[in-house]
Amino acid sequence: MALPAAKPLDEATLFKQQCATCHAINLTDPPRQGPPLAKVVGREAGTHEGFLYSPGLAQAHFVWDESRLDAWITNPQAVVAGSSMAYRQPKPEVRAAIINYLKGLN
């Protein structure tokens, strides 16, 4: 007997469950523990106006792209030492779904 195919991950639900406590998706919403993530793909790290970043992230000189976001969600401190983000996601399929959702916010 064949197993049923796995349901695709619901990107919006994953974001809500795993990210929305700390991050808004609307640039006009006040920052939470983390900066708003609308238009994060293609944005220079540590530059959202009105958010107080950790010193390392405030001085990071890179642009958020899919590979950088994947590394960040895997282990933020490995990307920017001293980062205050504690969330880590070991599952590549969950990271990919969250990143795809973020790309849609641009």
Side-chain angles (χ1 to χ4, degrees):
M1 173 190 297
L3 293 173
K7 281 178 60 176
L9 298 174
D10 182 321
E11 298 165 356
T13 299
L14 278 173
F15 181 87
K16 185 177 180 181
Q17 292 170 341
Q18 309 231 350
C19 309
T21 298
C22 297
H23 296 280
I25 58 170
N26 188 331
L27 291 174
T28 59
D29 288 346
R32 298 177 184 169
Q33 271 185 290
L37 295 181
K39 300 184 180 183
V40 69
V41 178
R43 183 167 74 205
E44 186 172 346
T47 62
H48 180 73
E49 180 101 13
F51 186 77
L52 181 60
Y53 289 93
S54 64
L57 204 49
Q59 296 174 12
H61 296 290
F62 63 82
V63 172
W64 292 113
D65 60 17
E66 289 179 56
S67 64
R68 188 76 68 161
L69 284 166
D70 186 60
W72 177 257
I73 296 169
T74 301
N75 182 357
Q77 287 72 29
V79 176
V80 176
S83 165
S84 58
M85 185 163 137
Y87 175 82
R88 291 182 181 199
Q89 178 49 254
K91 296 180 181 176
E93 65 276 11
V94 173
R95 293 193 311 268
I98 291 170
I99 292 165
N100 200 49
Y101 179 76
L102 293 173
K103 286 174 21 185
L105 298 176
N106 281 356

